Amino acid sequence: MDQQTLAVAFWFLLAIVLIVVFLLARQRRTTRALRLRAEEVEARERIRAEEERHLVDARLPALAESLNHRPVEVPAPRHPRVAEAHEPVFALFTDSVRQASARGEQSARATLKAMMRAVQSLSNEQQVAISAMQDRHDDPDVLAGLMRIDHMNSQLNRRAQATAVLCGSWPGQQRSASSLTDVTRGATSRIRDYLRVNVPAESDVAVVSRAVEPVVLAVAELLDNAARHSPPNTSVEVNFQQAHNGMAVMIDDGGVGMTVEELQRAARLLAGDGGNDINRLGDPPQVGFAVVGVLAKRYGFRVSVDTRSPYGGVRAVVFLPTELLTRVSKPAMPDNAVALPPERQPVATVDRAEPERTPGGLPRRRRTQTADQAAPPSAPAVTTPAEQRIATGLAAWKRGTDSGRATTPPVAEGNTQS
């Protein structure tokens, strides 16, 4: 071969080599790009799968807990850009849980409400039976036993009444206007440790008819809370304070007080917030502040608690605005009537009729309506000397009225027949 042929062959081979090298480089670049793309897709899939596991294992359960009003923080997404695709699922899950919780809460409320109505009905029937027995018996020991049963029945009725109010029911029948002293006495008669409560003297400031029962129930819950959370050898002091736009009922105990967290929770419940979900009231449920908050919000009075009690415990204040107050006259006692204990004093009303008398001149006994329709309370187990004196006084009063009914009236001389 000549040199020209060799040159052509050389350049041809060189071109082939260059083409091959170019193709190999291009293939390498393509392979690298495909590998990087595959790795990126794999990483995205791994991130998506990790975010889905985080959604299912952590975020959704925490969201369900928080929607059920439990103090659980919902974790943030690990990869926000990937989590954007989960927002529709998140929103749908939230709506579903809320609807299910609302249905469950409504069903629980309806069930509890019906049950409490049945309990209240039985308690009222039992109260009628106890009252009838108190009218028939004048033996001090029997009356003391009936007083204990009556007191326990009053506590049972209050618990049922409070639960029913928390479930949306009304506190009870409307009563006549009652003085603040009678309202406090009525509330005191519904708690176990009633002997530890010091009630102020008579007041002519009264609660209007529509608010008597709600205020009695609210004060009873606060008194019970004060007595339960203070030493048994201490007293619970109740005082009235006049304000320019209402009256304040102050309840002081000598207990251990409340922490900042407890005060914040109490303030939220007493403002009427948080009592709508009975599942948030603990196990066993602590319904006292929640019931008071519901009543205060519904009837227009305010309740607050703080740790500024002069006795080192908690001070609860029930503020009654002017529109819930009125004036009443104090009830007059007949001259020959036996003095009743404070729990038996009749409710003061604006107009009081002259007591009906027997032909012998003695007052005819009528069962008076107290502010809470509860008989005088008694100690849980053993009759105290004070209770014995009360029972003895009631027995003597009943014997006197029975004797008066049985006395034959004297016949006038001008009407004597021959």
Side-chain angles (χ1 to χ4, degrees), residues 387-403:
E387 285 180 330
Q388 190 65 33
R389 288 195 300 270
I390 293 172
T392 303
L394 290 175
W397 182 44
K398 184 176 186 304
R399 286 194 298 268
T401 54
D402 291 343
S403 176

Side-chain angles (χ1 to χ4, degrees), residues 214-233:
V215 174
V216 168
L217 183 56
V219 174
E221 291 294 333
L222 295 174
L223 288 174
D224 184 68
N225 187 71
R228 287 178 179 272
H229 293 86
S230 58
N233 59 340

